[in-house]
Each structure stands twice: as C-alpha cells, then as structure tokens.
Amino acid sequence: MDLVVRPGSVWAERVAGELAGRLAARPSLRICLPTGDTPVPVYDAVVALVADGACSFEGATVVLLDEWVGLPPGDPARCDTRIRAQLIDRLPAPPAAVHVIDADDPWPGAAAARHDVEARNLDLVVLGLGLNGHIGFNEPGSRPDDPTRLVRLAVSSREAAVARYGATRVPTAGITVGLARLLEAGECWLLVTGERKARILRRALEEPEGPDCPASYLRRHPRLTVFADEAAAGLLRR
Ligand code: PGA
C-alpha cells in the first residue's frame, strides 16, 4: 500500500495530477468513479487540467460506483445527476462511454447484475471512505467476494442522502459495485479528507481487517494508494 499525505490546500491538485497522468498514459482508461463530497475538488482540478490540454476523457470509459434506489430521475442526490454535474457535463469532449446504474429498473437486482459486467476489467477504481467504513454502498457486513448487487443501506447512509446530498425523499436501497470487482481492478485509490475521517481511516488501515469495516479489505489490493489530507491522516501511526 502507498500512503500519500498532502496538506488540504494541495491535496486535490495532487490527486488530479495523478489522474491526468493515468489518462495520458492510457487514453482508453476504464475508470470507476465515486460521487461523494470528497472527490468534488479533485473533479474541479481535473476539469481545469482537461481545459489546459493536459489530458482528455475522450477515449475513456467511466463506470459509476454506486446509486440510490428509490430516488426519482434528476434528484440532486442521485449519483448519475452528481457525476454529470461535477465532471461529465463539464468536459469539452465526453468520455467514450459512461455507464451509470439503472436504478429505475423495476428489477433493480437485474440492473445490478448488468452493472457487474461493466465493472469488470477496470484499470482504476477511485473510492471515498464512509464514516462507518463503507466503500460505495458496501456497508458494514460486506465481504471481499461480494459482486455488484442490490443492498440494504445503513441508516446513516439513508440519512446522508437527504441531509448531506439534498435528496427529495429517503432512498429505499442502493446498488453498488461490489468489493470483488474493486479488488480485481488494476489499481485502487482511496480518497480521504477531513479530521472527521481520521478515526475510521486508522480503523481501515491499521486494525485487523473485518466486515465491520469493509474499507479494511482494500489492503488486500496489490496496488492500493491512499490519498489523504493531513487532517484525515492525523491519527495514523506512520
Ligand atoms: P463523502 O462520502 O465523500 O461525501 O464523505 C463518502 C462515503 O460516504 O462513501
């Protein structure tokens, strides 16, 4: 595992620079992206790098990490709404493909199974860290061999949909790329910022792995890089 710690003032630019480098090295990059608040400044910085000509998403395939079930199309909390507003719609040339999750399918389990196919052969997965140790909607109790699937959401996640992301109603469930797909990707990045994530980051990286903290399984990945700002890294013994 590589741990990259930077001051909050330059953290996003550092991650964005790495991402631009991956895109430049492999224009057909297959990349799985999250839509929490953590990556927002990274997307801002990447959009600026694209505008400067440092990289392009034109040949890339973007695969969405997760989605709420039970929110109407266009809801501000929907992950497809957010990724388009924060990244995709700001690019001068769209990615070759964007695979969102069809949470409106009357059989969301079938939509999850279809997304599991898109989530194979990823070159890079970019992840945020939940305060309860979740990764995407791999909530506590998840296992490292879990596929992309329909999941029951933790109460904290249902509350966050409304309180943090402005959902117009409480979602009933979620669909998430499973830990099995994340662990088999070519490279895995965990993005963590802010003092409020310091305790769970220490739990994920320095205490025994286990289903109470799904993020702890990421340590099995042979090419895991944790990008933390100084506040989030504050409790690590390093
Ligand atoms: P955040 O969410 O990036 O908005 O903190 C991360 C998560 O809960 O997965």
Side-chain angles (χ1 to χ4, degrees):
M1 178 189 87
D2 285 335
L3 174 63
V4 177
V5 179
R6 289 290 180 276
S9 55
V10 295
W11 175 87
E13 282 70 22
R14 172 64 206 270
V15 181
E18 290 282 337
L19 184 50
R22 295 300 186 282
L23 284 164
R26 185 184 290 220
S28 64
L29 199 73
R30 290 178 52 80
I31 177 172
C32 181
L33 293 178
T35 58
D37 287 340
T38 308
V40 170
V42 174
Y43 295 152
D44 288 345
V46 165
V47 166
L49 288 171
V50 171
D52 286 349
C55 62
S56 168
F57 281 77
E58 227 174 326
T61 294
V62 171
V63 176
L64 198 59
L65 174 64
D66 53 8
E67 186 58 274
W68 312 95
V69 174
L71 298 185
D75 188 284
R78 283 257 299 227
C79 301
D80 56 358
T81 308
R82 288 173 60 94
I83 197 72
R84 289 190 205 287
Q86 292 169 3
L87 180 66
I88 307 293
D89 291 351
R90 301 166 71 195
L91 299 171
V98 179
H99 297 295
V100 298
I101 301 174
D102 185 10
D104 305 316
D105 190 312
W107 290 278
R114 289 197 301 278
H115 199 64
D116 194 58
V117 176
E118 308 297 352
R120 290 174 187 267
N121 303 312
L122 293 166
D123 297 306
L124 172 64
V125 295
V126 181
L127 305 167
L129 174 63
L131 282 172
N132 65 351
H134 74 197
I135 291 293
F137 287 139
N138 292 283
E139 302 281 16
S142 298
R143 297 284 175 173
D145 59 352
D146 280 336
T148 305
R149 66 208 185 285
L150 179 67
V151 294
R152 189 188 182 94
L153 293 172
V155 172
S156 56
S157 296
R158 290 165 55 99
E159 288 173 353
V162 177
R164 296 194 53 218
Y165 306 125
T168 53
R169 62 177 80 141
V170 179
T172 54
I175 293 174
T176 186
V177 174
L179 285 170
R181 299 289 86 76
L182 302 176
L183 289 172
E184 73 191 16
E187 200 177 350
C188 179
W189 293 358
L190 180 63
L191 312 186
V192 196
T193 56
E195 191 180 353
R196 70 193 194 104
K197 297 280 178 74
R199 190 199 58 76
I200 193 66
L201 182 60
R202 183 177 65 186
R203 164 70 194 90
L205 300 186
E206 297 184 344
E207 295 170 21
E209 70 168 43
D212 61 296
C213 180
S216 65
Y217 291 121
L218 297 179
R219 283 141 56 188
R220 296 184 180 191
H221 197 290
R223 291 187 67 200
L224 170 66
T225 304
V226 179
F227 293 95
D229 70 1
E230 286 176 343
L235 295 178
L236 297 178
R237 291 185 296 268
R238 59 191 169 88

